[in-house]
Structure formats: C-alpha cells, structure tokens
Amino acid sequence: MVIHPKIRVKNLTVSFDGKASLKNVSLDIEPHIILSVIGPANSGKTTFLRTLNRLNDDERAMKVSGEVLLDGKDIYKDHDPVSLRRKVGIIFALPVPLPMTVFENVVYGPRRQGIRDKKILGATVERFLRDAYLWDEVKDRLDEPAMTLSGGQQQRLCIARTLAVNPEVLLFDEPCSALDPISTAKIEEALSKLKRHYTIILVTNNTKQAARVGDKTAFFLMGELVELNETGKIFTSPEDRRTDDYLSGRFG
Amino acid sequence: MRTLSPRLTQRIAFSILFAATLFVILPVAFIIGVILKNGLGAVNWEFLTAMPRASMREGGILPAIVGTFCLVAGAVLFALPLGLCAAIYLSEYSKDSRLNRAVRLAIVNLAGVPSVVFGLFGLALFVGFFRFGASILAGSLTLGLMILPVIITSSREALDAVPGSFREVSLSLGATKLQTIKYAVLPHALPGILTGTILGVGRAAGETAPILFTVAAFYLPRLPRSIFDQAMALPYHLYVLSTQVPNVAPKIRYGTALVLLAIVLLMNFLAIAIRSHFRAKKKW
Ligand SMILES: Nc1ncnc2c1ncn2[C@@H]1O[C@H](COP(=O)(O)OP(=O)(O)OP(=O)(O)O)[C@@H](O)[C@H]1O
Ligand SMILES: [Mg+2]
C-alpha cells in the first residue's frame, strides 16, 4: 500500500532581503508521525515551520519559491492563509496566552469559526484541555486569567488552544525551551498520544528530546536539509559527516 | 576662591528644582483659586438649570451648558469613528511607509493649525459650501476636525502598544485579519483610545474660536431644537459676558468660568483615572 505524504515539500527556497534562509529543501512527511527537526541556531528551522502555515506572509522582504503540498494541494495556490492555518496549527517557543480567561483562550479559535453554543464550547474546553494534560490542574480555574497559570501550564494551554481549532498538522517550535523537566515530560507525553490523530513536526534544540519522541528526524544546517531518516538511524549511524559532527557536539 | 561644600551645593540645587516645580504649580492653583473664590457664590441650582434673563445679566446658563454638551458629543461622534478607522488602517494595514509618513506629517500639521483657522475653515466648508448654516452640525464637525489629530495619535499609540505576539497567535489560530483586530488587538487598545478621546473632549469643550463663526449664538435663551439649530456654548458665552455686555455682575462671569473649568478638568481627571486604572491591571 502506498502511503501518501501528508506534507510534501519540493525545492523550497525562502529568502529574506535576498538572503536565503532555506535552500532548496525537499522532503515528504507521512501522516501520523512525529518528525523531529534539529539543527544549530540560524539553520532555518523556524522559517521552515512558519512557511508551512504561511505565518510569514506579511513579511514584505520575504520570497518563496518551490512548492509545499498539503494532502497534494499547494498551500499557496489552493489554500488561503486562513483555511490553511485552521488545518496547520503552530505552538511557539514562548507561550503567549491571550489576556483573557483560560476558558476563552481555548475557545478563541472555535469562536472565530462562528461556534456560539455554550454546551459545545464547554465540551471543547474539557476535551482539549484533557488532550493537553492540563484539565486536572485547571478545571477549577477556567474563569481565571490565563496569565495566572505557570509557564508550563501556559504552554499546555497553548497546545489545547491550538488543538481546539481542529487542525490536522501540528507544528511545534521548541515548545519546551523555557520549561522545567517535569513540564517537558508532560508535553512529551501529550505529543506521543497526539500523533495518533495529527501529523506533528517538532523543532527542538534538545537532541535527546528529538531522539525520545521523533519517529523520524531531520537535520538542518545553514538553511539546507542535510539528512532525514528514521530517528534510530540518524542517532546511531548517520549518513552525512555533518550530522555526525553535530550530534557528537563537534560544532553548533 | 573656596569651593562650596557638597552639602551646600546639594541644598542649592534642590531649592532651585523645587522652586521651578512650585512655579509651574502656582499659576494653576492661582487660576483655580481665583475662579473658585469669585464664582462659587454664583453657582447654584438655578444658575445651572435656568435660562438667562435680562440680557444675560440674570438667570442661568443652561442653554450654554447644553450647547457645549451637544457640540462635544457631535464632535466625538464624528471624530472618533473616523480617527479610529484611520488609526487602524495606518497601524494594522498600511505597510507603505510613504503613505504612513505623509499621514503623520499631515497629523502634525493639523495639530499645529491655530484654532481660529479651523473656525474659518468650518465657516467656509460646513456653513457655506455644504449649506449647513451656522448650526450645531457645522460647529461639531469643525470641533471634530480639530480633535482628530489627538484621537488618531493616541489611538495609534494604543494600537502599537499591543504586543505583536497577540496578533500572531490570533492569526495562527485561524482568525482572519479583521477578527484579529477586533478580538485580539482592539480590546487591549481601548483604554488608550478612550483616554485620547476624553482629552480631545476636554479640548473641544473649552475652545472658542472654532465655534465662533460656525454655531455660537450670542443670545438664545432656549434649548437647541435640532442639529441645524444655532446654540449657545460656554466658552463663547463667557467671552460675550466679559466683553460684549455692559454691567454684568462679576459673580456671573466667574460662575460661568467655573462651570467651564469644572467640565474640562473633570474630563482630564477622568482620562487620567482610566489610564492609571488600566495600567495597574495590565499584565503583559
Ligand atoms: N522575518 C524575518 N525577516 C528577516 N530575516 C529572517 C526572518 N525570519 C528569519 N530570518 C532569517 O532567517 C535565518 C534563519 O532563521 P530561523 O529563525 O529560521 O533559524 P532557526 O533555525 O529557527 O534558529 P534558532 O535555533 O535560533 O531558533 C536567520 O538568519 C534569520 O535572520
Ligand atoms: Mg527558531
């Protein structure tokens, strides 16, 4: 049986002011896997994620060439940014709760799609807070401002908020970089469960995390995709010298 | 020459700075004091709620108070939507820095136009060209133009102070640009916009020149009936009482000044109160 890739990237080049941040990247991502993306600073990882849901569209200095296909459909030609972002959600490195209650944060996306029914919204909140492993901690605090949660809780709230939009693909940009080991463990646990329903790309600066949760791992360097393979393969016998150098700490 | 001891220098510097501060406060306190002392005796229920009588030498100033409120309300009704839309466009949409710079220049210039020029402009455009006549409508529009720069500038500052990450989060959750502005930006800019508007109101309430040719009635002892009616207004009424009508009791002049001052100061305090209330609540 042929598995169609959820996302297919073909010769993607992204440049800002003529300076390429992504150079001719091509890759396929199968559905329901976690793809870890690793690489030193400035290697284009964030640019890659932000291109996948067109969050950089307003950047005037940006130029994109090549193709990105989501379920075979071009994200620039066959999608508008709004419908695309409802299918491809993103979670940023620093949690940004909107200055409203926990409840309102979770239903921010659904409300923008016109859902008003109190029952549906309430069920949405419970379901996705559970999926983000946060429900037990905040079920009595739904009406408090989201800013009063701890950093780790805020990040899980942001995950729940993104899930509530009902996306198919989840992009995580170093979601644990500001978190303690216990919060990190909770998020990793959530990730492993979530992949049953979503296709996940996880950018991480923590190679151990990439090894723990990634089914596949991609290594970016200076805007180039150096290597993409099964995670076990990347970490035990990488094909490219540069991957080996990076993982053994010889540069980066 | 012996140098002064550091202690003495300190004290001299402190005294100079303190004296300068005092010098700033004194005139304000003096003005308020004089007006209170001379005017408080005149202000009573009748003064606030009755029509003027005996060529304004007796009775109250109700039509002037009502006129001022109508003018200010009209000015805000006109300038707030217009200014807010312009501010939203400039802050959230226009990335064309050329247009942005041109508008900023226009606003600075608009803010620098002497108020009597606004009056003449209003006379030519609203009273004359649009044939509104001398009316509340013409006066409100003229005042509205005058406070437009305050409203646009403060609205833009308020919008720009909302963190960009809110917009990004909102967009990433599949909200449209308009929804993002409405739900993730505007609510957090509202206090600042309100503050600017109230400051504009204070200014509009106190100006004489813009209403001189466009609406102000010399003596009209009844309430305005429509927006095409002329009206009395506090600042112009004060001017008339002080220079045009002989033998007006000083008490009445000062009483009128007191009412006008109270309205303007109240507006300013309200603006300050709103600003500090929301500043204390802000959590980002
Ligand atoms: N909006 C932008 N405008 C201009 N240049 C940009 C923009 N976004 C990214 N870049 C450039 O693209 C390059 C790659 O940046 P990117 O953020 O993708 O790296 P990264 O791999 O995510 O790094 P890090 O690990 O530090 O997060 C950088 O040189 C950066 O300056
Ligand atoms: Mg990054």
Side-chain angles (χ1 to χ4, degrees), chain B residues 6-34:
Chain B
R7 225 177 94 94
L8 193 59
T9 337
Q10 283 268 40
R11 291 185 64 162
I12 293 174
F14 173 80
S15 310
I16 293 176
L17 296 175
F18 182 72
T21 313
L22 214 59
F23 199 76
V24 175
I25 297 176
L26 268 180
V28 181
F30 187 71
I31 292 173
I32 295 179
V34 166

Side-chain angles (χ1 to χ4, degrees), chain A residues 16-17 19-22 39-48 50 56 59 61-62 173-174 203 205 220:
Chain A
F16 295 96
D17 288 316
K19 206 177 120 281
S21 297
L22 281 180
N42 197 26
S43 52
K45 309 180 296 289
T46 298
T47 305
F48 179 60
R50 292 173 64 91
N56 272 339
E59 240 20 272
M62 186 187 68
D173 192 357
E174 303 179 25
V203 167
N205 266 337
F220 278 65

Side-chain angles (χ1 to χ4, degrees), chain B residues 51-90:
Chain B
M51 298 293 159
R53 284 191 312 268
S55 305
M56 302 181 256
R57 291 188 189 92
E58 285 169 28
I61 55 169
L62 180 66
I65 296 177
V66 171
T68 287
F69 271 103
C70 291
L71 287 172
V72 166
V76 169
L77 235 49
F78 165 65
L80 183 58
L82 191 66
L84 187 55
C85 288
I88 290 176
Y89 178 77
L90 291 168

Side-chain angles (χ1 to χ4, degrees), chain A residues 50 85-86 99 108 112 161, chain B residues 168 170-171 174 179 188:
Chain A
R50 292 173 64 91
R85 290 174 197 143
R86 287 177 181 177
Y108 187 87
R112 300 296 85 81
R161 183 174 68 183
Chain B
E168 188 152 82
S170 173
L171 290 174
Q179 289 176 330
H188 314 303

Side-chain angles (χ1 to χ4, degrees), chain A residues 50 55 58 60 82 85-86 90 92 96 98-100 108-109 112 147 161-162 165, chain B residues 95 165-166 168-177 179-180 183-184 188 283-284:
Chain A
R50 292 173 64 91
L55 219 48
D58 279 346
R60 274 190 308 156
V82 173
R85 290 174 197 143
R86 287 177 181 177
I90 190 166
F92 304 102
V96 181
L98 293 169
M100 40 184 88
Y108 187 87
R112 300 296 85 81
M147 308 274 187
R161 183 174 68 183
T162 301
V165 181
Chain B
K95 301 243 161 53
S165 56
F166 291 1
E168 188 152 82
V169 161
S170 173
L171 290 174
S172 80
L173 293 170
T176 64
K177 177 122 187 172
Q179 289 176 330
T180 297
Y183 296 104
H188 314 303
K283 288 222 178 57
W284 65 83

